[in-house]
Amino acid sequence: MDWLAGLYPWLKAFHIVAVIAWMAGLLYLPRLFVYHAGAAVGSPQSETFKVMERRLLRGIMNPAMIAAYVFGILVLLTPEMIDSWRSGWFHAKVVLIVALTVYHHALARGRQAFAADANRRPAKFYRLMNEVPTAILVGIVILVVVKPF
Ligand code: HEM
């Protein structure tokens, strides 16, 4: 795993790029759901939202999430990073990563419901849901930068 040490800054840079792309989707998709929930089933707007939601999830969010995991795990495997495992802040970060991943899958299920014209949730639900990734993002950035414990 020594070869990873030389790549460390690159791996971290790509980890952050992937995380930004993933977060952009996690923030934008529920926003699309807010507008989609207000569009009549079968209307041209509703059909356009379906295409936008599918492309956002499959073209950006899924690959970005996988890249964030791959680069994050490679950073974790670099020899000098092994200590991360023992830090309290890292364990808390793992909990928030799991929460973000569960949220991603909840959005994917929501997209399937919209695609099948089977969404029953009001726009307000998605407006509230939109706050979840922001709160998790604030928590993760404080944990990785401030390392409070
Ligand atoms: C997907 C699984 C993830 C894994 C396995 C992972 C792992 C890691 C590791 C090992 C580091 C290096 C820690 C250090 O520099 O001490 C790191 C850095 C970082 N991670 Fe993650 N991470 C993941 C997801 C995320 C997410 C979702 C965010 C933000 C929402 C994030 C934001 C960051 C940031 C900003 C840094 C740079 C910290 C610094 O260098 O000061 N990571 N990550």
Side-chain angles (χ1 to χ4, degrees):
M1 286 295 168
D2 276 351
W3 60 275
L4 280 174
L7 289 176
Y8 175 72
W10 289 98
L11 297 172
K12 201 147 124 175
F14 286 116
H15 174 60
I16 293 171
V17 169
V19 160
I20 289 172
W22 187 23
M23 286 305 309
L26 291 173
L27 292 166
Y28 187 41
L29 190 55
R31 202 67 228 162
L32 286 177
F33 289 169
V34 169
Y35 299 128
H36 198 162
V41 169
S43 65
Q45 291 93 327
S46 174
E47 296 308 306
T48 305
F49 282 130
K50 287 182 189 176
V51 176
M52 292 170 77
E53 289 156 2
R54 192 185 64 239
R55 288 189 181 159
L56 181 63
L57 187 73
R58 296 210 183 140
I60 295 175
M61 294 170 65
N62 287 343
M65 176 179 69
I66 292 166
Y69 268 92
V70 168
F71 288 115
I73 288 166
L74 285 175
V75 172
L76 200 55
L77 292 176
T78 33
E80 64 259 42
M81 287 311 305
I82 300 291
D83 271 359
S84 286
W85 290 110
R86 284 190 275 274
S87 318
W89 65 267
F90 190 76
H91 295 146
K93 181 180 173 178
V94 169
V95 170
L96 293 183
I97 291 168
V98 170
L100 217 49
T101 306
V102 169
Y103 180 80
H104 178 109
H105 285 92
L107 289 182
R109 276 197 306 277
R111 190 203 71 80
Q112 280 172 349
F114 274 111
D117 292 324
N119 172 59
R120 299 283 171 265
R121 299 187 197 279
K124 195 171 172 215
F125 172 83
Y126 293 109
R127 206 168 276 133
L128 283 175
M129 207 173 163
N130 215 182
E131 306 304 327
V132 174
T134 312
I136 297 177
L137 170 68
V138 170
I140 292 184
V141 171
I142 290 172
L143 286 172
V144 296
V145 176
V146 181
K147 298 185 171 60
F149 45 85

